[in-house]
Amino acid sequence: MKPIKIMQFTSGELKTNSYMITDKDSFCIIIDPGENPDQLIQNIYDQKVDYILLTHCHYDQIAGLNVLKKYTDASVVVHHSEAEWLLDPNLNCSIQTNSPIVSDYPDILLNGDELIKCGSITIKAIHTPGHTPGSTCFLINNHYLFTGDTLLAGIVGPTNIPFGDRESLIDSIKNKLFSLSDDILVYPGHGQKTSIEFERNHNLLPNIKIKHKFV
């Protein structure tokens, strides 16, 4: 089995993380294509992109979706409760920006707990509502966890936004993420990489006063 390469690209005013995961042979996936899709495109080369996975559908996570979808024709995967958000700038909050986003309806709708086989890897979808109703974390090969704006290094995602639910967020993190193995590496939607062990021991949940501005 070839080694898995995880590339992180940070873009936009909100410093949103996008990821490309590949072994440069049997699979290539993109998670949360942000405001600078050219960063991703420049690293695709001649690879076939299998999936574009969305942890949730706020504008900073989907700003590059239309470009990436057109370039790769990869299947767009998102939780069913946010499918309509791709079509509505009010729901995806891009109406607040100078570039309202309207995308196509997604190709694959999730409920949570699905296992997606892709080349040499297995992706588990973990529904973690709270930051948004359809927030979903993606666990690759039981070792690499992509958490979007649900769990970040030392803090949690904001819920003082439309459709945010603090109690659901706390429940998702405590019962779905903190129950995972200590050695799982966490790749969040903003900020630096961390681990389940570190966050279980050091995260400010549940008493954090959320002040960060990103959506």
Side-chain angles (χ1 to χ4, degrees), residues 71-142:
Y71 185 81
T72 67
D73 198 32
S75 295
V76 176
V77 183
V78 70
H79 192 269
H80 70 86
S81 65
E82 292 185 26
E84 298 292 336
W85 290 34
L86 293 179
L87 316 179
D88 189 336
N90 287 289
L91 291 173
N92 63 46
C93 297
S94 63
I95 197 70
Q96 303 170 11
T97 74
N98 294 323
S99 302
I101 298 169
V102 177
S103 299
D104 292 333
Y105 199 79
D107 301 290
I108 299 174
L109 301 181
L110 301 172
N111 293 308
D113 294 325
E114 289 90 351
L115 290 176
I116 302 170
K117 181 67 176 175
C118 183
S120 63
I121 64 169
T122 300
I123 308 163
K124 182 177 182 180
I126 305 173
H127 183 213
T128 51
H131 176 66
T132 64
S135 285
T136 300
C137 298
F138 296 101
L139 179 61
I140 295 179
N141 283 2
N142 290 314

Side-chain angles (χ1 to χ4, degrees), residues 38-53:
D38 288 344
Q39 293 177 315
L40 295 159
I41 289 172
Q42 289 168 7
N43 285 275
I44 291 173
Y45 302 112
D46 59 351
Q47 297 176 90
K48 176 183 181 296
V49 178
D50 301 284
Y51 298 108
I52 300 172
L53 308 178

